[in-house]
Amino acid sequence: MPGQKREAPSNDLGEVKLNKRPRVESKETQSASKSSHVNDILSGFEPFMKRYDPAKPVHVVMETKGSTGEWKTRQEDEDGLKDFLQPLVSSDSLALKFEVSAQWNGARASRLTLPHGLVHTPVFMPVGTQGTIKGLTSEQVRACGCRLILSNTYHLGNRPGGEVVEAMGRIHKFMNWDGNLLTDSGGFQMVSLLKLAKITEAGVLFQSPVNGSEMLLTPEKSMEIQNQIGADIMMALDDVAPSTCGDYKRFEEATHRTLRWIDRCIKAHKRPKHQNLYGIVQGGLDPKLREFCLNEMIKRNLPGYAIGGLAGGEDKALFWRVVKQCCDRLPKDKPRYLMGVGYTLDLVVCSALGCDQFDCVYPARTARFGTAITREGLVKLKKQKYKGDKAILDASTAVGRKYTRGYLHEICTKEATGSQLLTMHNIEFLQNFMRELRASIRDGSFGQFVQTYMLKEFPNHKYPTWAVEALLSAGIKID
């Protein structure tokens, strides 16, 4: 009624509800809260991390009897170094042999022998999702120095189908590739195709982004398709929770499910004498969950192990700590594969932390956008400043020595040849870069290699804090 005092509504407890706007924190408060949360997580990693003294690097290499150090002048012939260096530790599986030849603190240079030949690690592995690295023939990939590349189970299973690849002699004959291959399990598509996927205990139900058809990818089905494909290394199907999801319960669920699924993968794997099954360590950004998964995964005594669930936009301070925790804990005589990493800074830091294998679409994808990876950093050839530039691209690769920046500027995104040339350059650049990194581990100059790289990459000395901290934990102090 007019003039009557209006009362605020009450809740069931007889308390007065005040019609207030929801409290909105300032950006500064939100940032401080996030920083505090990250710091709480960071402190949890300390009990699981081994740190090296920058003043006392530990370099270990064991020469064969009668060797007088001449191998140091023969490092270009990596295959021949077996006659001069004895393995520090090694392991033999049914279809894999891994030998650590040299170690500098946590970084190691190793020999990984697979059914289709020898691979030297740390190694970068280019990604050929559909059985091809876009724009390149298998002969061109080999000419870039690659001995181990990737293909994807989910995509090959959709098109042309695992049974078709098998009928054509499996993946090596199918794509005319005489080197080694690794197939992803299809688990990453839980993240990349999340809106088209439903995850259950049975497996992952995908809806094809091409024609809308459904595909149930179970651990057993993933093994079946990968056995049909015939890659030298095959990955177990894992439950991948995006590293940025922030939901502990989801990470916990994914970790326990990953362990249940690895047992199903082991049981379903039909070609252990020809193909190696790697398990994938999950656990999100939580050190205790990671430690639990590490302990359980190591009990399975697999030929190799991968560090999964990273490189998805998480805080780099957490990223490197997870990598270090895993490298410190995984067996010293087994290969360690960090999934989804391909930037040179990440390759350097994570090699220092103890990783052996890396993969990423980055070098090929960035080439298609007209960007070259060089010793001077990234060269974005679309920029007008390169018009008429007579300088060669980079002296370290065949493409880089033969073609000028001015020529590549004109064709980089306009002609298929431009993308092809830059893809070849970027892939060969990373192969050569990793070869130099391995040589520095063997001859004991790895610390200087890292220092030189950081100065070239960051001439203004504005180093990323996370990288400085990570390298310090690995025994390298960046001045």
Side-chain angles (χ1 to χ4, degrees):
M1 293 177 63
Q4 184 174 345
K5 185 177 179 181
R6 188 173 296 176
E7 295 182 356
S10 300
N11 62 15
D12 292 338
L13 299 178
E15 299 170 339
V16 176
K17 282 188 176 180
L18 301 178
N19 295 325
K20 291 184 178 180
R21 291 182 180 179
R23 180 169 171 262
V24 178
E25 293 181 336
S26 68
K27 289 184 178 180
E28 291 78 10
T29 303
Q30 290 175 355
S31 177
S33 176
K34 180 180 179 182
S35 178
S36 175
H37 176 66
V38 169
N39 288 335
D40 288 343
I41 299 175
L42 294 183
S43 62
F45 281 98
E46 287 304 317
F48 303 105
M49 288 174 54
K50 176 182 179 181
R51 293 183 179 272
Y52 292 90
D53 184 351
K56 299 176 182 179
V58 180
H59 175 235
V60 185
V61 64
M62 187 162 57
E63 297 181 345
T64 56
K65 188 175 182 180
S67 176
T68 57
E70 64 266 35
W71 62 269
K72 292 183 181 180
T73 63
R74 301 187 182 186
Q75 290 224 60
E76 287 297 315
D77 178 22
E78 286 190 286
D79 291 358
L81 292 177
K82 68 179 186 301
D83 297 328
F84 302 95
L85 300 178
Q86 297 183 52
L88 304 176
V89 295
S90 64
S91 64
D92 277 290
S93 301
L94 292 175
L96 177 154
K97 185 173 185 178
F98 185 70
E99 304 163 284
V100 178
S101 303
Q103 192 153 343
W104 194 98
N105 286 353
R108 65 232 198 119
S110 308
R111 296 164 57 88
L112 175 63
T113 305
L114 297 166
H116 286 84
L118 175 64
V119 178
H120 298 283
T121 70
V123 63
F124 175 77
M125 306 175 292
V127 178
T129 300
Q130 205 76 48
T132 177
I133 294 175
K134 287 185 180 179
L136 302 189
T137 65
S138 293
E139 290 81 4
Q140 288 171 324
V141 175
R142 170 63 85 173
C144 290
C146 299
R147 297 188 178 188
L148 175 58
I149 63 175
L150 265 71
S151 285
N152 182 274
T153 298
Y154 169 77
H155 291 292
L156 284 172
N158 264 331
R159 179 173 61 86
E163 66 284 352
V164 174
V165 177
E166 182 180 28
M168 296 188 70
R170 294 195 165 92
I171 189 68
H172 296 85
K173 289 185 178 179
F174 178 68
M175 62 181 290
N176 190 32
W177 171 250
D178 61 357
N180 293 289
L181 270 151
L182 181 153
T183 40
D184 184 12
S185 65
F188 176 70
Q189 277 62 49
M190 295 182 202
V191 176
S192 64
L193 299 177
L194 183 60
K195 293 181 180 179
L196 301 173
K198 181 181 179 182
I199 306 166
T200 67
E201 188 61 30
V204 192
L205 183 64
F206 288 106
Q207 184 178 18
S208 170
V210 178
N211 58 19
S213 62
E214 290 188 341
M215 172 185 181
L216 178 62
L217 188 65
T218 64
E220 292 77 14
K221 187 64 177 178
S222 178
M223 292 298 98
E224 178 187 344
I225 296 172
Q226 291 189 79
N227 283 156
Q228 291 171 332
I229 292 170
D232 303 86
I233 299 172
M234 43 195 275
M235 305 306 300
L237 185 66
D238 56 336
D239 186 353
V240 186
S243 59
T244 55
C245 81
D247 183 349
Y248 177 84
K249 289 294 184 183
R250 176 69 186 99
F251 284 134
E252 187 176 41
E253 175 190 54
T255 300
H256 286 270
R257 183 173 287 146
T258 291
L259 292 169
R260 292 192 292 273
W261 282 3
I262 183 63
D263 292 330
R264 290 167 61 183
C265 286
I266 293 170
K267 186 176 180 181
H269 179 22
K270 303 300 183 186
R271 304 182 74 237
K273 293 182 179 179
H274 306 281
Q275 295 177 265
N276 299 284
L277 175 62
Y278 279 24
I280 304 175
V281 177
Q282 291 291 346
L285 304 175
D286 184 273
K288 291 183 179 179
L289 266 183
R290 284 280 174 177
E291 193 70 9
F292 168 74
C293 194
L294 282 161
N295 288 333
E296 291 301 313
M297 198 64 72
I298 291 168
K299 290 178 184 177
R300 274 67 178 179
N301 192 27
L302 297 162
Y305 299 90
I307 303 168
L310 296 175
E314 66 278 349
D315 190 304
K316 281 289 199 174
L318 296 171
F319 162 82
W320 79 258
R321 283 173 168 83
V322 171
V323 173
K324 185 156 192 358
Q325 178 188 4
C326 292
C327 287
D328 288 350
R329 185 70 181 83
L330 286 168
K332 298 182 185 303
D333 61 348
K334 300 289 180 76
R336 308 163 186 157
Y337 164 29
L338 177 56
M339 307 177 81
V341 165
Y343 295 120
T344 52
L345 178 60
D346 292 343
L347 296 175
V348 168
V349 171
C350 296
S351 291
L353 297 178
C355 295
D356 305 300
Q357 296 174 242
F358 307 91
D359 82 285
C360 191
V361 298
Y362 168 68
R365 179 174 290 170
T366 199
R368 296 194 294 274
F369 287 94
T371 299
I373 310 168
T374 76
R375 293 176 182 272
E376 302 171 14
L378 298 181
V379 175
K380 299 181 179 181
L381 290 157
K382 291 191 293 184
K383 291 186 175 181
Q384 278 299 114
K385 70 177 183 178
Y386 295 111
K387 188 176 183 68
D389 191 339
K390 295 179 181 179
I392 62 169
L393 179 58
D394 187 285
S396 69
T397 73
V399 168
R401 290 188 294 271
K402 292 177 182 177
Y403 294 93
T404 66
R405 297 181 178 199
Y407 174 70
L408 293 168
H409 165 77
E410 299 298 336
I411 68 167
C412 63
T413 58
K414 303 179 185 72
E415 303 288 343
T417 304
S419 294
Q420 181 187 56
L421 289 173
L422 288 183
T423 300
M424 290 176 65
H425 163 77
N426 284 353
I427 290 175
E428 185 183 356
F429 179 88
L430 287 184
Q431 297 303 312
N432 294 339
F433 182 79
M434 297 305 288
R435 184 181 299 112
E436 292 176 16
L437 184 151
R438 294 191 295 268
S440 73
I441 296 173
R442 285 190 289 261
D443 66 23
S445 65
F446 180 65
Q448 185 57 50
F449 173 90
V450 175
Q451 295 277 6
T452 301
Y453 164 79
M454 294 295 281
L455 281 172
K456 286 184 177 180
E457 191 74 9
F458 305 98
N460 58 6
H461 292 220
K462 292 182 179 179
Y463 306 119
T465 300
W466 75 269
V468 172
E469 292 177 347
L471 290 170
L472 185 61
S473 80
I476 304 171
K477 185 176 181 180
I478 302 300
D479 301 322

